[in-house]
Amino acid sequence: MSKAELDNLVKIGQLKIESFAQSEFDAYIRSGKERLRDAASRGISPSGKFLLGYAAAYAFSLAALRRLGYRPANRYVVFQCLPLTLGVGVEVWRVLADAHDVRNGLEYEGSDEVTEDLTDQVIRCAKTLEEML
């Protein structure tokens, strides 16, 4: 993890420095765990399962960033910072970055391009992040 690289993102406005708060961190972890549990529930639509897995991964990713004293300027940068915050490789953060685009399509454009494979990958990535925290 390179503080210098995160500080460079502050300089260009992608991150902001903000003091760590344990209660906020705990809330993100709790939220991520709840969403992962809900994603495993029966009867959830494919897009619902995807959105829950994505939300869990985002919560864990944001917790990792906040633990280091940074807040993102946008959602996407949270996933881009994963190699710096949790040391994950491209096989995790790239899946989540791609999922971000799909999530935006669902939320803002009425798209329904969610595949079972992507959903499974997102949930697997979320579980990996959970274990790392």
Side-chain angles (χ1 to χ4, degrees):
M1 161 177 29
S2 170
K3 183 166 173 34
E5 290 175 276
L6 292 169
D7 286 340
N8 283 339
L9 291 171
V10 171
K11 289 177 187 172
I12 64 170
Q14 293 297 304
L15 295 178
K16 299 171 187 169
I17 295 174
E18 189 174 303
S19 298
F20 171 75
Q22 186 68 49
S23 60
E24 180 186 15
F25 176 84
D26 294 343
Y28 288 134
I29 299 299
R30 188 171 42 257
S31 173
K33 288 178 181 289
E34 288 172 358
R35 282 163 178 71
L36 266 181
R37 185 183 62 243
D38 291 349
S41 299
R42 292 180 187 220
I44 294 184
S45 69
S47 61
K49 185 174 180 176
F50 168 82
L51 289 170
L52 286 165
Y54 172 89
Y58 182 77
F60 295 138
S61 299
L62 185 54
L65 188 63
R66 292 294 300 122
R67 179 171 60 185
L68 296 175
Y70 297 93
R71 183 169 299 282
N74 61 64
R75 293 179 73 92
Y76 188 77
V77 75
V78 172
F79 297 131
Q80 289 178 312
C81 288
L82 281 169
L84 303 171
T85 59
L86 289 176
V88 300
V90 68
E91 71 282 354
V92 172
W93 82 263
R94 190 68 232 161
V95 166
L96 296 174
D98 290 345
H100 176 76
D101 294 336
V102 172
R103 175 248 180 208
N104 283 352
L106 284 169
E107 295 288 329
Y108 305 121
E109 299 165 11
S111 171
D112 63 352
E113 295 180 19
V114 176
T115 65
E116 186 177 338
D117 181 56
L118 179 60
T119 299
D120 291 344
Q121 288 180 53
V122 167
I123 289 172
R124 187 170 48 255
C125 289
K127 288 177 180 178
T128 297
L129 299 176
E130 177 186 25
E131 291 169 5
M132 297 180 84
L133 290 165

